[in-house]
């Protein structure tokens, strides 16, 4: 199914064969007449050092993807370069626009209170079989039981939640009970940046870079600050209840969406490349673009995510906010619909699926994998307001990313395929279809208290 012309940028993504990157680039230069822009090093903090002018390409070496800008008459030459590359060029796709996925159902600000060699165990094919089998087994069990009983610790529908000390999401994910804080784990948030002057991040270890031309990492939108706060806000914020999951992670902030809340595939892929270069174990992406029923996933993003997993980086993305339940359930959005990217749905404090949350309507990667809290979520916001409540699968995604950091610390620094499977196992089964919530609500590692 062709892409909507209004959702593409006029640029192209080129997937290069691992181990043959230079060969593929040379073919593009020779046949399409492209020039090559220099990609910035992982230590650069100033953004793109190469200027992507017309008929120019920039290569993201860690994931083996090139971003190309060229005139329309160049497309036949790109196709020819692929055909004559002998497999050095694997795919060419139009670049899409992507958007922040946390703008739906914005609420009134909430009043605040003062004060390995893992591939040998889980290869790509085996991992996908495992995840699908896990979902199928849960569905079969739920079907045979007729209804899934409320699990111990699961909030009762309609029960009031005391948020004076911690938000309902921190309680529902059991992060409030966890003895872990993400120490030693590197977590990247690819979004609209971060309010670097926010009092809750004044002592946090932060590495940042902007991938948006002409804009700094400073968050002029708010979405990125909100998502980063959920993933790793402090245990004791300056003027709010606890809202962050993994307070001690090493935070990597990549600005891939503009202050207007939009971006493009190339910026996202460059951010993924940067996070992989910096050995981040987790990438949180609260962004995407809608797809139509029956529309497949991006081969470029899928292979980039597979290569990231192989390097030890789990990519977690928002499932999307395009449903209007109960009249319409939209499919999981791009790029969360890739099989090797973890798709996160949103639930509310009553353990019900959020009305906007996209569903797993497609096979082969279009499923929802897990769910996180995503309705009326309090977190950090740029000053002078400093805190705000938002709703969206954007908010659910950093909950999963933050818990993933706790799991990585708890299990001795696991990463890649092993961490991905551990996330799926660390869920609370809900009385909802796997189509909507996947394996269930993400749960932080914690010690169970046994009554004597």
């Amino acid at each position: 199914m062709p892409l909507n012309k209004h959702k593409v940028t006029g640029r192209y993504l080129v997937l290069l064969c691992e181990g043959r990157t230079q060969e593929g680039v040379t073919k593009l230069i020779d046949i399409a007449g492209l020039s090559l822009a220099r990609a910035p090093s992982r230590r650069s903090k100033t953004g793109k050092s190469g200027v992507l002018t017309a008929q120019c390409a920039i290569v993201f070496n860690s994931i083996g993807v090139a971003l190309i800008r060229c005139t329309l008459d160049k497309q036949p030459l790109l196709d020819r370069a692929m055909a004559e590359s002998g497999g050095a060029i694997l795919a060419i796709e139009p670049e899409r626009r992507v958007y922040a996925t946390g703008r739906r159902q914005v609420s009134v600000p909430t009043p605040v209170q003062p004060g390995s060699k893992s591939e040998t165990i889980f290869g790509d094919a085996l991992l996908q079989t495992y995840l699908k089998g896990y979902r199928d087994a849960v569905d079969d069990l739920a079907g045979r039981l007729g209804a899934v009983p409320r699990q111990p610790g699961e909030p009762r529908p309609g029960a009031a939640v005391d948020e004076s000390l911690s938000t309902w999401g921190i309680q529902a994910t059991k992060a409030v009970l966890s003895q872990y804080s993400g120490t030693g784990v590197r977590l990247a948030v690819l979004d609209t940046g971060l309010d670097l002057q926010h009092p809750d991040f004044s002592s946090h270890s932060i590495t940042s870079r902007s991938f948006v031309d002409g804009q700094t990492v400073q968050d002029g939108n708010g979405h990125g600050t909100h998502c980063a706060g959920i993933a790793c806000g402090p245990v004791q914020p300056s003027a709010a209840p606890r809202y962050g999951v993994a307070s001690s992670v090493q935070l990597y902030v990549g600005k891939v969406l503009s202050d207007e809340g939009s971006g493009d595939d190339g910026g996202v892929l460059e951010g993924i490349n940067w996070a992989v270069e910096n050995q981040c174990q987790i990438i949180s992406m609260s962004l995407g673009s809608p797809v139509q029923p029956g529309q497949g996933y991006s081969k470029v993003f899928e292979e980039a995510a597979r290569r990231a997993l192989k390097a030890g980086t789990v990519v977690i993305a928002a499932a999307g906010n395009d449903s209007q339940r109960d009249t319409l359930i939209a499919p999981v959005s791009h790029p969360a619909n890739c099989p090797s990217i973890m798709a996160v749905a949103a639930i509310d404090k009553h353990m019900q699926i959020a009305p906007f949350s996209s569903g797993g309507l497609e096979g082969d990667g279009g499923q929802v994998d897990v769910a996180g809290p995503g309705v009326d979520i309090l977190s950090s916001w740029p000053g002078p307001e400093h805190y705000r409540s938002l709703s969206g699968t954007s908010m659910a995604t950093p909950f999963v990313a933050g818990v993933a950091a706790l799991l990585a610390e708890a299990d001795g620094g696991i990463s890649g395929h092993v961490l991905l499977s551990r996330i799926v196992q660390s869920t609370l089964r809900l009385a909802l279809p796997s189509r909507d919530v996947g394996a269930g609500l993400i749960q932080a590692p914690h010690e169970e208290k046994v009554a004597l």
Side-chain angles (χ1 to χ4, degrees):
M1 182 177 295
L3 298 177
N4 186 319
K5 66 179 181 180
H6 299 296
K7 295 180 180 178
V8 297
T9 66
R11 305 192 300 190
Y12 294 88
L13 307 174
V14 176
L15 179 62
L16 303 167
C17 181
E18 284 188 289
R20 301 178 63 188
T21 299
Q22 188 55 50
E23 186 180 343
V25 170
T26 299
K27 186 63 68 174
L28 289 170
I29 292 172
D30 290 346
I31 293 181
L34 301 174
S35 59
L36 188 65
R38 182 175 63 87
S41 71
R42 68 184 179 92
R43 296 181 179 86
S44 170
K45 296 184 179 181
T46 58
K48 295 187 176 89
S49 56
V51 179
L52 198 61
T53 57
Q55 301 178 22
C56 184
I58 187 168
V59 180
F60 311 136
N61 288 308
S62 291
I63 56 174
V65 176
L67 173 62
I68 295 176
R69 179 175 179 179
C70 60
T71 54
L72 291 176
D73 62 343
K74 290 282 186 181
Q75 179 151 12
L77 295 178
L78 295 180
D79 294 338
R80 178 185 158 195
M82 179 175 171
E84 297 181 10
S85 71
I89 299 174
L90 301 177
I92 298 176
E93 297 176 358
E95 181 190 45
R96 311 185 212 196
R97 294 184 176 89
V98 291
Y99 306 90
T101 53
R103 286 302 188 182
R104 192 180 293 270
Q105 294 196 352
V106 177
S107 67
V108 176
T110 300
V112 298
Q113 305 294 324
S116 104
K117 292 283 183 183
S118 57
E119 315 168 49
T120 60
I121 304 172
F122 291 100
D124 289 329
L126 181 57
L127 175 67
Q128 297 307 322
T129 301
Y130 167 80
L131 295 177
K132 183 179 185 300
Y134 188 94
R135 280 189 294 256
D136 291 346
V138 168
D139 281 344
D140 177 67
L141 178 61
R144 286 188 285 114
L145 293 176
V148 179
R150 188 177 65 87
Q151 300 296 317
E154 180 182 340
R156 296 179 183 276
V161 179
D162 181 0
E163 298 189 75
S164 59
L165 298 179
S166 60
T167 64
W168 78 264
I170 293 296
Q171 297 173 55
T173 58
K174 301 296 189 295
V176 71
L177 302 178
S178 182
Q179 65 270 41
Y180 301 102
S181 61
T183 300
V185 179
R186 297 185 179 192
L187 187 155
V189 177
L190 305 184
D191 211 288
T192 63
L194 179 71
D195 178 11
L196 299 174
Q197 285 74 51
H198 197 288
D200 289 353
F201 289 93
S202 60
S203 61
H204 206 107
S205 172
I206 300 172
T207 302
S208 63
R209 192 155 92 219
S210 175
F211 302 96
V212 177
D213 291 332
Q215 294 187 9
T216 67
V217 170
Q218 180 62 28
D219 187 6
N221 179 281
H223 189 268
T225 300
H226 199 272
C227 292
I230 295 169
C232 58
V235 173
Q236 295 181 318
S238 58
R242 178 182 173 183
Y243 57 82
V245 176
S247 60
S248 298
V249 297
Q250 298 177 51
L251 176 60
Y252 285 73
V253 175
K255 185 176 184 127
V256 300
L257 301 178
S258 69
D259 289 339
E260 294 70 43
S262 63
D264 52 58
D265 281 344
V268 176
L269 287 166
E270 189 170 9
I272 293 174
N273 187 77
W274 173 72
V276 171
E277 284 183 339
N278 281 282
Q279 300 179 320
C280 292
Q281 287 141 285
I282 303 149
I283 295 176
S284 179
M285 303 195 311
S286 295
L287 52 82
S289 61
V291 300
Q292 298 300 313
Q295 183 178 328
Y297 57 82
S298 164
K299 292 182 174 62
V300 174
F301 267 86
E302 167 58 14
E303 187 59 30
R306 285 165 59 97
R307 293 172 183 179
L309 269 175
K310 184 178 178 181
T313 303
V314 174
V315 183
I316 302 170
N321 300 342
D322 303 304
S323 294
Q324 298 176 20
R325 299 169 185 264
D326 293 320
T327 59
L328 170 68
I329 300 177
V332 172
S333 61
H334 162 80
N337 63 343
C338 292
S340 297
I341 295 179
M342 177 160 282
V344 183
I347 62 167
D348 64 22
K349 65 180 62 177
H350 306 305
M351 302 296 109
Q352 299 301 307
I353 188 68
F356 51 77
S357 189
S358 296
L361 306 181
E362 307 289 338
D364 195 21
Q367 304 97 332
V368 168
D369 292 298
V370 295
V375 178
D376 290 331
I377 303 299
L378 176 71
S379 185
S380 48
W381 192 259
E385 189 174 348
H386 286 157
Y387 305 99
R388 180 177 290 190
S389 289
L390 298 181
S391 298
T393 55
S394 274
M395 287 63 251
T397 300
F399 269 111
V400 175
V403 170
L406 304 185
L407 292 168
E409 180 193 1
D411 285 5
I414 57 173
S415 62
H417 293 294
V418 176
L419 178 56
L420 183 63
S421 63
R422 183 76 175 88
I423 296 169
V424 176
Q425 294 168 357
S426 301
T427 54
L428 174 69
R429 177 61 186 166
L430 302 175
L432 295 168
S434 293
R435 173 202 66 189
D436 293 337
V437 297
L441 174 63
I442 189 68
Q443 298 285 277
H446 63 281
E447 295 180 353
E448 297 285 354
K449 294 183 178 180
V450 179
L452 298 177

